[in-house]
Amino acid sequence: MEYLPLIIQLISGALGGNAAGALLKNLSLGTLGNAIAGIVGGGIGGQILEQVFNTAVAGGAMDPASIITQILGSGVSGGILTAIVGAIRNAMAK
């Protein structure tokens, strides 16, 4: 198993989750909550995108297009999951 794509996905997801929390103040889970939701979202979303579009950074190949795709896909997925979890938390609090 290659660990580089997973590391990229987890870090990008955490950054995407915190960015979503900063932009959507009413859906924010706090810094740690945003990071955890982002990590989960980035890992899951990155793996799905990797399988669907075959964008793996495989064999240590540092293809810039693959790395950028991993970063963007995982960051967006982390942000989306953070927003979803924040919306669910707000709905349950009412």
Side-chain angles (χ1 to χ4, degrees):
M1 177 178 179
E2 291 290 326
Y3 291 107
L4 182 59
L6 184 60
I7 292 169
I8 291 171
Q9 292 163 3
L10 297 179
I11 292 171
S12 299
L15 294 174
N18 280 311
L23 292 173
L24 307 167
K25 299 275 187 215
N26 60 332
L27 300 179
S28 180
L29 305 168
T31 305
L32 183 60
N34 292 338
I36 291 171
I39 288 170
V40 172
I44 293 171
Q47 290 297 312
I48 291 170
L49 289 173
E50 186 176 303
Q51 297 302 315
V52 170
F53 296 111
N54 196 22
T55 59
V57 184
M62 298 297 285
D63 179 25
S66 295
I67 294 172
I68 291 171
T69 304
Q70 291 284 338
I71 291 170
L72 291 176
S74 300
V76 168
S77 336
I80 289 171
L81 186 65
T82 300
I84 290 170
V85 171
I88 291 170
R89 185 191 69 163
N90 288 346
M92 290 178 63
K94 290 181 181 181

